Amino acid sequence: MNYILRNYAKLSHFNYDQHGKDWQVNGGKQQSPISLIKDKAVLSKAPKLSFLNYNKTFSGPLNLINNGHTVTMAIPPIDDGRQPAICGCKLKSLYKAVQLHFHWGSLENKGSEHTINYQRYDGELHILHQNSAYKEQKEAIRFPDGFVVLAVMLKIVQGPKIQPRALNQICSEAAMVRDFNKASTFVANFTLRDVLTGIERQEFFTYMGSLTTPPCSEVVNWFVFPKHIEISKKYLQNLWLLTDERGKPLVNNYRNLQRLCNRTVYYRNASK
Ligand SMILES: [Zn+2]
């Protein structure tokens, strides 16, 4: 969620050496990421999530940036100027997709932020959506309904059954932004729907949580898909080669698991 950090210059000098234990943040009782366990979640009867303009072509090229914490891709409007967005379920507003980024491990370690049924995955994709009721991020970050994040686990396999060609293209492009602050522009041959290829989008965990990077504000309604996306090592390993602002390898960029405290995690089945 480093998209927000531009407004918090002082907080932007953090690293993952201790996975967040050393961050100066006001941790409350609704922090992320957490351990997600299907058998312990409450069955949700919420209506379906609606995905708007997720299947439409982007109006312009895409921009990838190494911000020293992750690689981020801003989500441009589609051809008619509108933004891909989500609504429905129990959301009270329209949430516009603004940015996506990744968390990952290294050659030796898995690096997803959430765990699902006690399992950590090789990587985790976050698609950040901002409440359309707020004009700017710095306004949205002050309200508990400021953001929605869709999260998907990534698993390295030899020969994925479905090739995630959008993720393959983004990860290939990441080789162009190895150094801190490097940016690269490329033309997408995919839509935002293709980024979630093979995922059953109506089956998910959902809970109230926080940004997983400083200032870790408790302003995120999380939707985490239990099904993962398979990806070849040759693509995901491009992320392991990035470096941070110290020139050190940018690897294992995930925050430690946080306490559930007094929260309910809901699980929605696709058939409902
Ligand atoms: Zn994230």
Side-chain angles (χ1 to χ4, degrees):
M1 265 140 308
N2 310 72
Y3 179 71
I4 291 150
L5 291 172
R6 281 171 224 148
N7 300 318
Y8 288 82
K10 265 188 281 182
L11 287 167
S12 71
H13 297 289
F14 69 91
N15 59 58
Y16 284 95
D17 292 352
Q18 297 180 52
H19 300 291
K21 280 184 182 162
D22 55 335
W23 295 348
Q24 304 292 314
V25 294
N26 300 318
K29 294 191 168 172
Q30 290 200 65
Q31 292 288 296
S32 297
I34 58 172
S35 161
L36 298 166
I37 303 155
K38 188 179 177 184
D39 288 346
K40 293 188 179 176
V42 174
L43 205 59
S44 166
K45 296 193 172 89
K48 287 183 175 182
L49 258 186
S50 296
F51 293 80
L52 310 176
N53 301 318
Y54 254 62
N55 57 348
K56 305 275 173 62
T57 313
F58 297 122
S59 59
L62 298 172
N63 199 15
L64 212 61
I65 297 175
N66 171 353
N67 68 6
H69 311 299
T70 183
V71 57
T72 77
M73 188 191 96
I75 295 168
I78 57 163
D79 272 342
D80 68 1
R82 286 177 299 166
Q83 200 73 15
I86 55 173
C87 62
C89 196
K90 288 192 170 174
L91 300 173
K92 295 192 176 75
S93 305
L94 180 77
Y95 286 78
K96 294 181 178 180
V98 288
Q99 180 250 49
L100 64 79
H101 64 266
F102 300 85
H103 301 267
W104 59 85
S106 59
L107 185 60
E108 299 86 13
N109 287 302
K110 296 179 185 299
S112 69
E113 294 216 291
H114 291 87
T115 59
I116 295 184
N117 301 330
Y118 308 103
Q119 188 179 354
R120 195 180 287 280
Y121 284 82
D122 293 297
E124 185 169 333
L125 162 72
H126 288 162
I127 308 178
L128 179 69
H129 298 69
Q130 184 182 316
N131 190 330
S132 60
Y134 308 123
K135 282 204 178 69
E136 295 183 42
Q137 307 139 46
K138 66 180 180 194
E139 186 188 1
I141 202 173
R142 292 193 286 117
F143 295 94
D145 62 352
F147 297 94
V148 164
V149 179
L150 302 186
V152 192
M153 304 300 134
L154 307 176
K155 182 178 185 175
I156 292 177
V157 299
Q158 268 189 336
K161 284 184 219 75
I162 305 170
Q163 274 296 341
R165 54 185 192 86
L167 294 179
N168 288 351
Q169 195 187 5
I170 297 168
C171 288
S172 297
E173 200 63 30
M176 307 300 290
V177 297
R178 284 192 182 168
D179 299 332
F180 170 59
N181 255 344
K182 263 229 158 168
S184 178
T185 300
F186 66 104
V187 176
N189 47 30
F190 57 81
T191 66
L192 206 48
R193 185 179 63 181
D194 298 327
V195 171
L196 296 176
T197 189
I199 290 289
E200 168 49 73
R201 291 181 294 177
Q202 300 303 339
E203 184 156 347
F204 44 74
F205 292 95
T206 181
Y207 77 96
M208 298 305 296
S210 74
L211 306 176
T212 63
T213 53
C216 299
S217 313
E218 295 176 338
V219 294
V220 180
N221 193 340
W222 283 89
F223 290 80
V224 183
F225 299 109
K227 306 262 167 66
H228 60 268
I229 290 179
E230 295 181 345
I231 187 166
S232 300
K233 187 179 175 184
K234 72 169 178 177
Y235 293 108
L236 200 67
Q237 71 183 5
N238 282 324
L239 302 179
W240 305 339
L241 299 173
L242 270 58
T243 56
D244 66 14
E245 67 177 320
R246 305 170 297 181
K248 290 188 173 179
L250 176 53
V251 289
N252 302 312
N253 59 346
Y254 61 92
R255 188 187 190 197
N256 277 325
L257 289 174
Q258 304 293 304
R259 286 188 224 294
L260 182 61
C261 298
N262 201 18
R263 279 180 289 181
T264 304
V265 174
Y266 294 93
Y267 189 93
R268 188 185 187 282
N269 276 311
S271 52
K272 290 273 175 349

